[in-house]
Amino acid sequence: MIVVNFDVIAQPANELVQRVPRTGGMALWRILHEALNGRLAVVIDECEDTFVLETWMKVNGVKAAVYDVLYATSPEIKAEKVFALATAAGSSMTNWYVDVDPSTVEQCMKLGMTALLLADPYTVRPEWKNLSAAPRSWETLVEEVQKQKLERAERDWSKE
């Protein structure tokens, strides 16, 4: 069984219902789900309402064989609980853990469990993160698109 932390498949937010799927994490989930015939478990560090968690998973197409709430924030305790959950599935199954928290991944590895750290950037390019900048006008956008179109045409023009 592969245990996946909920933070791998969902972007951070203040409330569980506000979380949106993480692109890289969802792609990884789909690949693993198909390869392992659905033998995936989801764990979440803290969750006040499991009905909301189940609904979020259903709406976003995350079908796990089992899910569990760890009720822990300490990497050591989280790693021990994940290790116990994975070993409960049996030694004949693939047992490893996927998380976005390097401390928990490190603790799982100390326990002898294979672990994968997903390092998916929150913003693809740093310049896109500047939220304080005023939005550009439509004319500026059109000018930029036309400029890039001309540059692309000029680049391709010299190949003939």
Side-chain angles (χ1 to χ4, degrees):
M1 169 140 334
I2 294 179
V3 182
V4 179
N5 192 295
F6 187 71
D7 293 339
V8 169
I9 57 176
Q11 293 280 6
N14 293 335
E15 297 289 327
L16 182 62
V17 295
Q18 296 173 334
R19 296 182 77 165
V20 295
R22 186 184 297 262
T23 306
M26 289 299 290
L28 180 64
W29 175 270
R30 287 186 191 99
I31 290 168
L32 294 174
H33 194 271
E34 184 178 329
L36 296 170
N37 297 321
R39 291 189 323 248
L40 296 171
V42 173
V43 293
I44 186 166
D45 301 343
E46 300 285 339
C47 181
E48 294 177 11
D49 189 358
T50 56
F51 177 74
V52 175
L53 175 64
E54 288 175 6
T55 304
W56 190 99
M57 289 170 50
K58 286 176 186 175
V59 167
N60 292 290
V62 177
K63 188 173 183 181
V66 65
Y67 75 89
D68 195 12
V69 182
L70 300 177
Y71 297 109
T73 54
S74 164
E76 294 83 9
I77 296 172
K78 285 172 36 178
E80 288 174 8
K81 289 185 175 188
V82 166
F83 185 76
L85 178 64
T87 54
S91 60
S92 63
M93 308 286 250
T94 303
N95 291 328
W96 48 293
Y97 180 61
V98 184
D99 200 347
V100 294
D101 179 22
S103 302
T104 305
V105 168
E106 177 186 19
Q107 293 302 319
C108 283
M109 293 174 75
K110 285 182 180 178
L111 292 172
M113 186 175 192
T114 304
L116 173 68
L117 176 67
L118 179 72
D120 191 21
Y122 186 70
T123 53
V124 178
R125 295 188 179 178
E127 62 268 20
W128 295 353
K129 194 172 182 173
N130 186 2
L131 301 176
S132 63
R136 293 189 241 174
S137 67
W138 182 256
E139 292 80 25
T140 307
L141 177 63
V142 171
E143 288 173 16
E144 181 65 27
V145 168
Q146 291 297 330
K147 178 183 161 197
Q148 289 180 15
K149 193 175 189 180
L150 177 61
E151 289 175 357
R152 192 176 311 114
E154 289 174 346
R155 183 187 67 222
D156 295 339
W157 185 273
S158 62
K159 292 181 182 177
E160 293 179 11

